[in-house]
Amino acid sequence: MPRKYHLKNYDFLLVVLSLIISIYGIIIIGSAKLSFQPRQTIGLCIGVVLMVIFSLVDYQTVLNFYWIFYILNMVLLFAVKFFGIEVNNATRWITIAGIQFQPSEATKFLLILFFAKLIMKFKDKISRFGIILMLFALFAAPWYLVYSQPDLSTSIVIFLIFVTMLFIGGLSWKIIGGVLAVAIPVAVIGLVLVIQPNQQIIKGYQQTRILAWLDPEKYSNQEAYQQQNSITAIGSGQLTGKGYMNNEVASVKNANFISEPQTDFIFAIVGEELGFVGSMAIVILALAIVLRIAQIGFGADDLSGTLVCAGVAAHIGFQTFMNIAVATGLMPNTGLPLPFISYGMTSLVCIFMELGVVLNVGLQKMRENYFVFRA
């Protein structure tokens, strides 16, 4: 049914924060690799338009198409498997109507919508074994297709999004405690197994990344090369950095100490050129966005709105943490972009679509029964 929204109830704070960090990202991309700046600017414009459109469409109506979102997601992921474009030993891209994009980025958005509706439908039975098994089975199919591209980093993020939504959806603490009691030792055993010679659990390059993280000096000229250079660059920036777009020959970008500086290791560029101040600006902006989304979720009309916000907050929060953790050596290299900052039109557009749905969740608290957008 058409809705009436009041302009005063539109969450402009979230919009402004998102625009500031995205423009900040475009500025940094201009320093990392200037030729990518115009495309990222186009991606931001497209994202903002889609955000506004999604913010004015009743999210509860959108969620009624949850099975269509799930099927669409599976179709896109299967298209990658059979018709995808291979880049750097991974097949993650497809081209449709002349447009090349990465479906795994859309997977985050589509699964948030799907599970927000599905978990709400079973909210009173969420802790039953059969329901949990069904939810994990429906999650496992797209998760495996992403993991097998191979894209371990994105598969980790969508798993964290999923378990966050389960937790917010009311999963029993007894079940959570039981799972953690099993999962933690299993994870430790798994880590021991994957670093053994001739293991068949993960890809060879993924094992090398873990080994390089555990023993960076041994792999300083191989897999640990970029990560160690990133840490050095961030430290060299000190408080205020060496200056935006500096021309120092020995800088991390000019000396090619990291490949593709506009993507996974863009935080190293920020740390070197803008120092601790510039780096903390990203952390504070991202944290403010996550907290604002969570605040909107707490005031949602129903559980599905809360779950949408939880999923989006988990996506931005976990992915930001993981990217910065890699750039600073706290985690193995995962090849994960920094939300809003790293170059990537698919990622940026999908995040703004997610924000559009979040904005509509916030508007629903003051909705009325006909559509006129007024001040």
Side-chain angles (χ1 to χ4, degrees):
M1 182 179 294
R3 304 294 186 187
K4 174 185 177 181
Y5 302 122
H6 294 271
L7 184 60
K8 65 181 180 180
N9 297 321
Y10 204 82
D11 203 313
F12 286 105
L13 177 58
L14 179 59
V15 174
V16 170
L17 289 171
S18 303
L19 287 175
I20 290 174
I21 194 171
S22 299
I23 293 170
Y24 190 10
I26 290 173
I27 292 170
I28 300 302
I29 289 170
S31 178
K33 192 162 287 189
L34 187 59
S35 59
F36 287 90
Q37 196 176 50
R39 294 189 63 187
Q40 189 76 351
T41 303
I42 293 171
L44 175 58
C45 294
I46 295 172
V48 170
V49 170
L50 291 174
M51 177 186 69
V52 172
I53 293 172
F54 272 89
S55 71
L56 300 178
V57 179
D58 184 1
Y59 77 91
Q60 294 172 336
T61 301
V62 171
L63 294 183
N64 287 332
F65 299 96
Y66 66 112
W67 277 111
I68 293 177
F69 298 142
Y70 186 82
I71 294 169
L72 174 62
N73 183 41
M74 294 298 292
V75 169
L76 289 173
L77 292 176
F78 271 114
V80 173
K81 188 174 183 64
F82 293 107
F83 309 107
I85 302 168
E86 183 174 329
V87 179
N88 296 327
N89 299 316
T91 306
R92 302 173 185 173
W93 300 82
I94 57 172
T95 300
I96 297 178
I99 300 175
Q100 183 173 300
F101 67 100
Q102 192 172 352
S104 59
E105 290 295 335
T107 292
K108 301 166 190 173
F109 178 45
L110 294 172
L111 287 184
I112 287 171
L113 297 180
F114 175 72
F115 282 110
K117 182 68 174 184
L118 195 63
I119 291 173
M120 190 190 75
K121 287 190 67 173
F122 294 100
K123 61 183 179 180
D124 296 326
K125 307 174 183 177
I126 193 69
S127 294
R128 294 185 183 178
F129 178 76
I131 300 301
I132 295 173
L133 188 63
M134 177 197 69
L135 292 172
F136 269 91
L138 288 169
F139 171 76
W143 179 89
Y144 178 76
L145 289 172
V146 172
Y147 173 79
S148 63
Q149 292 180 356
D151 194 348
L152 177 61
S153 56
T154 300
S155 66
I156 292 173
V157 171
I158 62 175
F159 176 75
L160 292 172
I161 293 171
F162 174 63
V163 296
T164 299
M165 294 179 72
L166 278 181
F167 171 70
I168 298 299
L171 190 63
S172 169
W173 275 102
K174 293 180 180 179
I175 296 175
I176 295 171
V179 170
L180 289 176
V182 175
I184 293 174
V186 167
V188 173
I189 295 170
L191 178 61
V192 173
L193 291 176
V194 299
I195 63 176
Q196 301 302 314
N198 303 316
Q199 60 82 34
Q200 300 296 319
I201 301 173
I202 59 176
K203 301 289 184 180
Y205 78 91
Q206 293 170 338
Q207 181 196 44
T208 306
R209 287 180 174 181
I210 294 174
L211 291 170
W213 173 62
L214 294 172
D215 190 1
E217 292 185 5
K218 181 179 178 180
Y219 293 85
S220 59
N221 293 321
Q222 301 174 46
E223 281 294 327
Y225 181 75
Q226 290 197 92
Q227 198 165 30
Q228 289 301 105
N229 289 334
S230 172
I231 296 169
T232 300
I234 293 170
S236 69
Q238 299 185 41
L239 182 61
T240 57
K242 298 177 180 178
Y244 176 67
M245 296 189 77
N246 72 80
N247 293 317
E248 286 192 16
V249 176
S251 70
V252 70
K253 61 175 183 181
N254 294 330
N256 295 319
F257 288 134
I258 54 175
S259 61
E260 305 298 329
Q262 74 281 2
T263 54
D264 305 340
F265 282 96
I266 197 166
F267 194 74
I269 306 296
V270 177
E272 183 179 59
E273 297 191 352
L274 303 178
F276 178 78
V277 173
S279 300
M280 284 305 299
I282 292 176
V283 174
I284 291 170
L285 284 168
L287 179 60
I289 289 170
V290 170
L291 292 177
R292 189 59 182 169
I293 292 171
Q295 186 177 18
I296 293 171
F298 287 135
D301 258 5
D302 61 5
L303 180 60
S304 66
T306 301
L307 289 169
V308 166
C309 293
V312 176
H315 171 198
I316 296 172
F318 284 124
Q319 190 162 320
T320 299
F321 171 79
M322 289 174 66
N323 178 278
I324 295 175
V326 168
T328 54
L330 297 177
M331 285 180 61
N333 188 0
T334 59
L336 201 63
L338 182 57
F340 299 105
I341 303 295
S342 293
Y343 170 75
M345 291 179 64
T346 308
S347 174
L348 189 63
V349 169
C350 288
I351 287 176
F352 271 92
M353 290 167 67
E354 292 175 17
L355 292 176
V357 180
V358 169
L359 288 168
N360 187 261
V361 172
L363 282 171
Q364 294 304 305
K365 292 180 292 185
M366 299 292 181
R367 66 188 185 188
E368 293 179 37
N369 290 329
Y370 57 93
F371 181 87
V372 176
F373 194 68
R374 72 177 191 183

Short mmCIF file of all heavy atoms in Angstrom, two decimals, residues 173-221:
data_model
loop_
_atom_site.label_atom_id
_atom_site.label_comp_id
_atom_site.label_asym_id
_atom_site.label_seq_id
_atom_site.Cartn_x
_atom_site.Cartn_y
_atom_site.Cartn_z
N TRP A 173 20.29 -18.70 24.02
CA TRP A 173 21.66 -18.57 24.52
C TRP A 173 22.28 -19.94 24.78
O TRP A 173 23.50 -20.12 24.65
CB TRP A 173 21.66 -17.76 25.81
CG TRP A 173 21.69 -16.29 25.58
CD1 TRP A 173 20.63 -15.42 25.66
CD2 TRP A 173 22.82 -15.49 25.23
NE1 TRP A 173 21.03 -14.14 25.37
CE2 TRP A 173 22.37 -14.16 25.10
CE3 TRP A 173 24.16 -15.77 24.99
CZ2 TRP A 173 23.22 -13.11 24.76
CZ3 TRP A 173 25.01 -14.74 24.65
CH2 TRP A 173 24.54 -13.42 24.54
N LYS A 174 21.47 -20.92 25.15
CA LYS A 174 21.99 -22.27 25.39
C LYS A 174 22.58 -22.85 24.11
O LYS A 174 23.63 -23.50 24.12
CB LYS A 174 20.88 -23.17 25.92
CG LYS A 174 20.38 -22.78 27.31
CD LYS A 174 19.28 -23.72 27.77
CE LYS A 174 18.77 -23.31 29.16
NZ LYS A 174 17.69 -24.21 29.62
N ILE A 175 21.89 -22.63 23.01
CA ILE A 175 22.37 -23.13 21.72
C ILE A 175 23.63 -22.39 21.31
O ILE A 175 24.60 -23.00 20.85
CB ILE A 175 21.28 -22.97 20.64
CG1 ILE A 175 20.08 -23.85 20.99
CG2 ILE A 175 21.82 -23.34 19.26
CD1 ILE A 175 18.90 -23.69 20.06
N ILE A 176 23.62 -21.07 21.50
CA ILE A 176 24.80 -20.26 21.15
C ILE A 176 26.01 -20.71 21.96
O ILE A 176 27.11 -20.90 21.43
CB ILE A 176 24.53 -18.76 21.39
CG1 ILE A 176 23.44 -18.27 20.44
CG2 ILE A 176 25.81 -17.94 21.20
CD1 ILE A 176 22.95 -16.87 20.74
N GLY A 177 25.82 -20.91 23.27
CA GLY A 177 26.91 -21.36 24.13
C GLY A 177 27.42 -22.73 23.72
O GLY A 177 28.63 -22.99 23.70
N GLY A 178 26.48 -23.64 23.38
CA GLY A 178 26.88 -24.97 22.95
C GLY A 178 27.67 -24.96 21.65
O GLY A 178 28.66 -25.68 21.51
N VAL A 179 27.22 -24.13 20.73
CA VAL A 179 27.93 -24.01 19.44
C VAL A 179 29.33 -23.46 19.64
O VAL A 179 30.30 -23.95 19.05
CB VAL A 179 27.12 -23.13 18.46
CG1 VAL A 179 27.95 -22.80 17.22
CG2 VAL A 179 25.83 -23.82 18.06
N LEU A 180 29.44 -22.41 20.48
CA LEU A 180 30.77 -21.83 20.74
C LEU A 180 31.69 -22.83 21.42
O LEU A 180 32.90 -22.87 21.13
CB LEU A 180 30.62 -20.58 21.61
CG LEU A 180 30.01 -19.34 20.93
CD1 LEU A 180 29.83 -18.22 21.95
CD2 LEU A 180 30.88 -18.87 19.78
N ALA A 181 31.13 -23.64 22.32
CA ALA A 181 31.94 -24.63 23.03
C ALA A 181 32.54 -25.65 22.07
O ALA A 181 33.62 -26.19 22.31
CB ALA A 181 31.09 -25.34 24.08
N VAL A 182 31.82 -25.91 20.97
CA VAL A 182 32.32 -26.83 19.95
C VAL A 182 33.16 -26.10 18.91
O VAL A 182 34.22 -26.58 18.48
CB VAL A 182 31.15 -27.57 19.27
CG1 VAL A 182 31.66 -28.44 18.12
CG2 VAL A 182 30.38 -28.40 20.28
N ALA A 183 32.69 -24.91 18.49
CA ALA A 183 33.30 -24.20 17.37
C ALA A 183 34.72 -23.73 17.67
O ALA A 183 35.60 -23.79 16.80
CB ALA A 183 32.44 -23.02 16.97
N ILE A 184 34.96 -23.25 18.90
CA ILE A 184 36.28 -22.70 19.22
C ILE A 184 37.38 -23.77 19.14
O ILE A 184 38.38 -23.57 18.45
CB ILE A 184 36.26 -22.02 20.60
CG1 ILE A 184 35.37 -20.76 20.53
CG2 ILE A 184 37.67 -21.65 21.05
CD1 ILE A 184 35.14 -20.08 21.87
N PRO A 185 37.22 -24.92 19.81
CA PRO A 185 38.27 -25.95 19.65
C PRO A 185 38.37 -26.48 18.23
O PRO A 185 39.47 -26.81 17.77
CB PRO A 185 37.84 -27.05 20.64
CG PRO A 185 36.41 -26.78 20.96
CD PRO A 185 36.22 -25.32 20.82
N VAL A 186 37.22 -26.58 17.53
CA VAL A 186 37.25 -27.04 16.14
C VAL A 186 38.05 -26.06 15.28
O VAL A 186 38.83 -26.47 14.40
CB VAL A 186 35.83 -27.21 15.58
CG1 VAL A 186 35.85 -27.37 14.06
CG2 VAL A 186 35.15 -28.41 16.22
N ALA A 187 37.86 -24.75 15.53
CA ALA A 187 38.60 -23.74 14.77
C ALA A 187 40.10 -23.84 15.02
O ALA A 187 40.91 -23.70 14.10
CB ALA A 187 38.10 -22.34 15.15
N VAL A 188 40.47 -24.08 16.29
CA VAL A 188 41.89 -24.23 16.63
C VAL A 188 42.47 -25.46 15.94
O VAL A 188 43.56 -25.41 15.34
CB VAL A 188 42.07 -24.34 18.15
CG1 VAL A 188 43.53 -24.65 18.49
CG2 VAL A 188 41.63 -23.05 18.84
N ILE A 189 41.74 -26.57 15.99
CA ILE A 189 42.20 -27.79 15.33
C ILE A 189 42.28 -27.58 13.82
O ILE A 189 43.23 -28.02 13.15
CB ILE A 189 41.25 -28.97 15.65
CG1 ILE A 189 41.32 -29.30 17.14
CG2 ILE A 189 41.60 -30.20 14.81
CD1 ILE A 189 40.26 -30.28 17.60
N GLY A 190 41.26 -26.87 13.27
CA GLY A 190 41.26 -26.58 11.84
C GLY A 190 42.47 -25.77 11.42
O GLY A 190 43.07 -26.02 10.36
N LEU A 191 42.83 -24.77 12.24
CA LEU A 191 44.00 -23.94 11.93
C LEU A 191 45.27 -24.79 11.91
O LEU A 191 46.12 -24.63 11.02
CB LEU A 191 44.14 -22.81 12.95
CG LEU A 191 45.35 -21.88 12.80
CD1 LEU A 191 45.29 -21.17 11.46
CD2 LEU A 191 45.41 -20.88 13.94
N VAL A 192 45.37 -25.72 12.86
CA VAL A 192 46.54 -26.60 12.90
C VAL A 192 46.58 -27.48 11.66
O VAL A 192 47.65 -27.70 11.06
CB VAL A 192 46.51 -27.48 14.18
CG1 VAL A 192 47.62 -28.52 14.13
CG2 VAL A 192 46.64 -26.61 15.42
N LEU A 193 45.43 -27.97 11.23
CA LEU A 193 45.37 -28.87 10.08
C LEU A 193 45.70 -28.15 8.77
O LEU A 193 46.41 -28.69 7.91
CB LEU A 193 43.99 -29.52 9.98
CG LEU A 193 43.63 -30.53 11.08
CD1 LEU A 193 42.20 -31.00 10.91
CD2 LEU A 193 44.59 -31.71 11.05
N VAL A 194 45.20 -26.92 8.59
CA VAL A 194 45.38 -26.24 7.31
C VAL A 194 46.80 -25.76 7.08
O VAL A 194 47.16 -25.42 5.94
CB VAL A 194 44.40 -25.05 7.15
CG1 VAL A 194 42.97 -25.51 7.19
CG2 VAL A 194 44.67 -23.96 8.20
N ILE A 195 47.62 -25.72 8.13
CA ILE A 195 49.01 -25.29 7.93
C ILE A 195 49.94 -26.49 7.74
O ILE A 195 51.15 -26.32 7.60
CB ILE A 195 49.50 -24.42 9.11
CG1 ILE A 195 49.51 -25.21 10.43
CG2 ILE A 195 48.68 -23.15 9.23
CD1 ILE A 195 50.08 -24.44 11.61
N GLN A 196 49.34 -27.70 7.71
CA GLN A 196 50.16 -28.89 7.50
C GLN A 196 50.48 -29.05 6.01
O GLN A 196 49.67 -28.66 5.15
CB GLN A 196 49.43 -30.15 8.00
CG GLN A 196 49.08 -30.12 9.47
CD GLN A 196 50.29 -29.93 10.36
OE1 GLN A 196 51.32 -30.58 10.18
NE2 GLN A 196 50.16 -29.01 11.33
N PRO A 197 51.63 -29.62 5.66
CA PRO A 197 51.96 -29.86 4.25
C PRO A 197 50.95 -30.80 3.60
O PRO A 197 50.43 -31.72 4.25
CB PRO A 197 53.35 -30.52 4.33
CG PRO A 197 53.89 -30.12 5.67
CD PRO A 197 52.71 -30.01 6.57
N ASN A 198 50.66 -30.56 2.34
CA ASN A 198 49.78 -31.42 1.54
C ASN A 198 48.33 -31.48 2.04
O ASN A 198 47.60 -32.42 1.73
CB ASN A 198 50.34 -32.84 1.45
CG ASN A 198 51.75 -32.88 0.89
OD1 ASN A 198 52.04 -32.20 -0.10
ND2 ASN A 198 52.62 -33.67 1.50
N GLN A 199 47.91 -30.49 2.82
CA GLN A 199 46.52 -30.46 3.27
C GLN A 199 45.59 -30.19 2.09
O GLN A 199 45.98 -29.55 1.11
CB GLN A 199 46.34 -29.40 4.37
CG GLN A 199 46.67 -27.97 3.96
CD GLN A 199 45.56 -27.27 3.20
OE1 GLN A 199 44.39 -27.49 3.47
NE2 GLN A 199 45.92 -26.41 2.26
N GLN A 200 44.36 -30.68 2.18
CA GLN A 200 43.39 -30.54 1.08
C GLN A 200 42.15 -29.74 1.51
O GLN A 200 41.14 -29.76 0.82
CB GLN A 200 42.95 -31.94 0.60
CG GLN A 200 44.08 -32.81 0.09
CD GLN A 200 44.73 -32.23 -1.16
OE1 GLN A 200 44.05 -31.72 -2.05
NE2 GLN A 200 46.06 -32.29 -1.22
N ILE A 201 42.25 -29.06 2.64
CA ILE A 201 41.08 -28.36 3.18
C ILE A 201 40.84 -27.03 2.47
O ILE A 201 39.71 -26.69 2.11
CB ILE A 201 41.24 -28.13 4.70
CG1 ILE A 201 41.42 -29.48 5.41
CG2 ILE A 201 40.03 -27.39 5.27
CD1 ILE A 201 41.76 -29.36 6.88
N ILE A 202 41.89 -26.24 2.30
CA ILE A 202 41.78 -24.94 1.62
C ILE A 202 42.76 -24.90 0.46
O ILE A 202 43.62 -25.77 0.31
CB ILE A 202 42.05 -23.77 2.60
CG1 ILE A 202 43.46 -23.89 3.21
CG2 ILE A 202 41.00 -23.72 3.68
CD1 ILE A 202 43.84 -22.73 4.10
N LYS A 203 42.63 -23.86 -0.37
CA LYS A 203 43.51 -23.69 -1.52
C LYS A 203 44.94 -23.41 -1.06
O LYS A 203 45.17 -22.89 0.02
CB LYS A 203 43.02 -22.54 -2.39
CG LYS A 203 41.59 -22.71 -2.91
CD LYS A 203 41.50 -23.78 -3.96
CE LYS A 203 40.08 -23.87 -4.54
NZ LYS A 203 39.96 -24.91 -5.57
N GLY A 204 45.87 -23.75 -1.94
CA GLY A 204 47.28 -23.56 -1.61
C GLY A 204 47.64 -22.12 -1.30
O GLY A 204 48.37 -21.84 -0.34
N TYR A 205 47.10 -21.16 -2.09
CA TYR A 205 47.43 -19.76 -1.86
C TYR A 205 46.83 -19.26 -0.55
O TYR A 205 47.39 -18.39 0.12
CB TYR A 205 46.97 -18.90 -3.03
CG TYR A 205 45.49 -18.58 -3.06
CD1 TYR A 205 44.98 -17.43 -2.45
CD2 TYR A 205 44.59 -19.42 -3.71
CE1 TYR A 205 43.63 -17.15 -2.47
CE2 TYR A 205 43.24 -19.14 -3.74
CZ TYR A 205 42.76 -18.00 -3.13
OH TYR A 205 41.42 -17.72 -3.15
N GLN A 206 45.67 -19.86 -0.15
CA GLN A 206 45.07 -19.47 1.12
C GLN A 206 45.91 -19.97 2.29
O GLN A 206 46.08 -19.27 3.29
CB GLN A 206 43.64 -20.05 1.20
CG GLN A 206 42.69 -19.43 0.18
CD GLN A 206 41.37 -20.15 0.10
OE1 GLN A 206 41.25 -21.33 0.47
NE2 GLN A 206 40.34 -19.47 -0.40
N GLN A 207 46.44 -21.18 2.16
CA GLN A 207 47.34 -21.71 3.19
C GLN A 207 48.59 -20.85 3.31
O GLN A 207 49.04 -20.54 4.42
CB GLN A 207 47.73 -23.15 2.86
CG GLN A 207 48.64 -23.77 3.92
CD GLN A 207 49.35 -25.02 3.44
OE1 GLN A 207 49.86 -25.05 2.32
NE2 GLN A 207 49.37 -26.04 4.28
N THR A 208 49.13 -20.43 2.16
CA THR A 208 50.34 -19.61 2.17
C THR A 208 50.10 -18.29 2.87
O THR A 208 50.97 -17.78 3.59
CB THR A 208 50.84 -19.37 0.74
OG1 THR A 208 51.00 -20.61 0.07
CG2 THR A 208 52.17 -18.64 0.74
N ARG A 209 48.92 -17.71 2.69
CA ARG A 209 48.58 -16.45 3.37
C ARG A 209 48.56 -16.63 4.88
O ARG A 209 49.00 -15.76 5.63
CB ARG A 209 47.23 -15.93 2.87
CG ARG A 209 47.28 -15.35 1.45
CD ARG A 209 45.92 -14.85 1.02
NE ARG A 209 45.99 -14.16 -0.27
CZ ARG A 209 44.94 -13.61 -0.88
NH1 ARG A 209 43.74 -13.67 -0.30
NH2 ARG A 209 45.09 -13.02 -2.04
N ILE A 210 48.02 -17.76 5.34
CA ILE A 210 47.98 -18.02 6.78
C ILE A 210 49.38 -18.22 7.32
O ILE A 210 49.75 -17.69 8.37
CB ILE A 210 47.09 -19.25 7.07
CG1 ILE A 210 45.64 -18.94 6.70
CG2 ILE A 210 47.18 -19.63 8.56
CD1 ILE A 210 44.71 -20.13 6.81
N LEU A 211 50.19 -19.00 6.58
CA LEU A 211 51.57 -19.23 7.00
C LEU A 211 52.37 -17.93 7.04
O LEU A 211 53.19 -17.70 7.94
CB LEU A 211 52.24 -20.24 6.06
CG LEU A 211 51.73 -21.68 6.14
CD1 LEU A 211 52.30 -22.51 4.99
CD2 LEU A 211 52.08 -22.31 7.48
N ALA A 212 52.11 -17.06 6.05
CA ALA A 212 52.80 -15.78 6.00
C ALA A 212 52.40 -14.89 7.17
O ALA A 212 53.21 -14.11 7.69
CB ALA A 212 52.51 -15.08 4.68
N TRP A 213 51.17 -15.01 7.60
CA TRP A 213 50.70 -14.24 8.76
C TRP A 213 51.34 -14.75 10.05
O TRP A 213 51.73 -13.96 10.92
CB TRP A 213 49.17 -14.35 8.84
CG TRP A 213 48.57 -13.76 10.06
CD1 TRP A 213 48.61 -12.45 10.46
CD2 TRP A 213 47.81 -14.45 11.07
NE1 TRP A 213 47.92 -12.29 11.64
CE2 TRP A 213 47.43 -13.49 12.04
CE3 TRP A 213 47.41 -15.77 11.24
CZ2 TRP A 213 46.67 -13.82 13.16
CZ3 TRP A 213 46.65 -16.10 12.35
CH2 TRP A 213 46.30 -15.14 13.30
N LEU A 214 51.47 -16.08 10.16
CA LEU A 214 52.06 -16.67 11.36
C LEU A 214 53.56 -16.46 11.42
O LEU A 214 54.14 -16.33 12.50
CB LEU A 214 51.75 -18.17 11.39
CG LEU A 214 50.27 -18.56 11.58
CD1 LEU A 214 50.09 -20.05 11.41
CD2 LEU A 214 49.75 -18.11 12.94
N ASP A 215 54.22 -16.44 10.24
CA ASP A 215 55.68 -16.29 10.20
C ASP A 215 56.06 -15.30 9.10
O ASP A 215 56.58 -15.69 8.05
CB ASP A 215 56.33 -17.65 9.95
CG ASP A 215 57.85 -17.61 10.15
OD1 ASP A 215 58.39 -16.53 10.49
OD2 ASP A 215 58.50 -18.66 9.94
N PRO A 216 55.76 -14.00 9.30
CA PRO A 216 55.96 -13.00 8.24
C PRO A 216 57.41 -12.87 7.77
O PRO A 216 57.65 -12.57 6.60
CB PRO A 216 55.46 -11.70 8.88
CG PRO A 216 55.51 -11.94 10.35
CD PRO A 216 55.23 -13.39 10.53
N GLU A 217 58.37 -13.08 8.65
CA GLU A 217 59.77 -12.95 8.26
C GLU A 217 60.17 -14.00 7.23
O GLU A 217 60.89 -13.71 6.28
CB GLU A 217 60.68 -13.05 9.48
CG GLU A 217 60.54 -11.85 10.43
CD GLU A 217 61.54 -11.92 11.57
OE1 GLU A 217 62.39 -12.84 11.56
OE2 GLU A 217 61.47 -11.06 12.46
N LYS A 218 59.67 -15.20 7.39
CA LYS A 218 59.99 -16.29 6.46
C LYS A 218 59.41 -16.02 5.07
O LYS A 218 60.00 -16.41 4.06
CB LYS A 218 59.46 -17.61 7.01
CG LYS A 218 59.78 -18.81 6.13
CD LYS A 218 59.25 -20.09 6.76
CE LYS A 218 59.52 -21.29 5.87
NZ LYS A 218 59.00 -22.55 6.46
N TYR A 219 58.26 -15.34 5.03
CA TYR A 219 57.58 -15.10 3.76
C TYR A 219 57.66 -13.62 3.37
O TYR A 219 56.82 -13.12 2.62
CB TYR A 219 56.12 -15.52 3.86
CG TYR A 219 55.93 -17.01 4.01
CD1 TYR A 219 55.99 -17.61 5.27
CD2 TYR A 219 55.68 -17.81 2.90
CE1 TYR A 219 55.82 -18.98 5.42
CE2 TYR A 219 55.50 -19.19 3.04
CZ TYR A 219 55.57 -19.76 4.30
OH TYR A 219 55.40 -21.11 4.44
N SER A 220 58.65 -12.92 3.86
CA SER A 220 58.74 -11.47 3.65
C SER A 220 58.88 -11.09 2.17
O SER A 220 58.51 -9.98 1.79
CB SER A 220 59.92 -10.89 4.44
OG SER A 220 61.14 -11.51 4.03
N ASN A 221 59.40 -11.99 1.36
CA ASN A 221 59.53 -11.72 -0.07
C ASN A 221 58.45 -12.39 -0.90
O ASN A 221 58.49 -12.37 -2.13
CB ASN A 221 60.91 -12.17 -0.57
CG ASN A 221 62.03 -11.35 0.03
OD1 ASN A 221 61.91 -10.13 0.19
ND2 ASN A 221 63.13 -12.01 0.39
#
